Amino acid sequence: MSGLEKAVVWLLAGGLTMGLMEGWSAVLHGRIWHGPLWRLHRSHHRPSDSAFELNDSLSVTHAPIAMALILFGCLGAPGLPREFAFGVGLGMTLFGLAYVIVHDGFIHGRLPCAWLGRFGVMRRIRNAHLIHHRQNGPPYGLFLGPMALRRRNDRRRRQ
């Protein structure tokens, strides 16, 4: 497999994975974190001056999977499965990084990311997430939260 072919596989697998991670995180957040794991997740919904929340332990659950996929992508037998695994691991990692920057940094002020507020899309994401915190309900996704709210509001108007 040529370098260009590998890069195409990485980009396609990584991009697809990043998109799917938003859906997966919304399902996980709504069904599991606000369900059986509420005992851990509720620390995120309560005011705190602490640098760390019990909820932070939930954030690292995907990191070992991403690391294993990247390692397989570096050390596995040459071929499409290795390159695909590398791309998926890379996509998971990039989604996680974007999530930490936007959610923990920008929205909750745990990192110096206030400058993201200059962008309208970031303000809409923050506003949708803050609605989630006020109502303890949808939207459970982060990046597509504004779109989920718009769909919900459109349905309500039609009723």
Side-chain angles (χ1 to χ4, degrees):
M1 195 175 256
S2 74
L4 179 60
E5 291 169 327
K6 289 179 183 180
V8 167
V9 171
W10 298 343
L11 288 172
L12 290 174
L16 179 64
T17 300
M18 288 177 70
L20 292 173
M21 287 296 293
E22 172 68 6
W24 170 245
S25 70
V27 169
L28 188 65
H29 186 184
R31 305 267 171 143
I32 306 298
W33 294 4
H34 279 257
L37 293 180
W38 177 247
R39 189 178 64 76
L40 296 172
H41 182 61
R42 75 175 158 217
S43 67
H44 178 62
H45 284 263
R46 293 183 173 161
S48 172
D49 291 331
S50 175
F52 296 100
E53 304 167 349
L54 196 53
N55 178 69
D56 292 336
S57 63
L58 298 172
S59 301
V60 298
T61 56
H62 291 86
I65 298 167
M67 291 185 328
L69 288 165
I70 289 171
L71 279 172
F72 177 74
C74 292
L75 305 173
L80 184 61
R82 178 179 85 172
E83 307 310 331
F84 186 77
F86 183 79
V88 170
L90 188 61
M92 289 176 71
T93 301
L94 292 174
F95 178 84
L97 180 62
Y99 195 95
V100 165
I101 290 169
V102 173
H103 178 265
D104 294 336
F106 172 59
I107 295 172
H108 293 293
R110 295 171 72 190
L111 299 169
C113 299
W115 59 271
L116 288 171
R118 294 183 216 159
F119 303 100
V121 67
M122 289 293 132
R123 290 192 304 272
R124 287 188 294 277
I125 289 170
R126 178 185 56 209
N127 292 342
H129 188 69
L130 294 177
I131 287 171
H132 162 71
H133 274 264
R134 278 194 301 273
Q135 299 176 354
N136 239 358
Y140 293 108
L142 181 67
F143 299 107
L144 297 180
M147 191 168 68
L149 282 178
R150 196 174 324 116
R151 272 196 326 264
R152 185 178 75 183
N153 292 338
D154 288 348
R155 275 194 305 268
R156 287 181 179 170
R157 273 191 294 259
R158 285 192 299 262
Q159 291 177 348

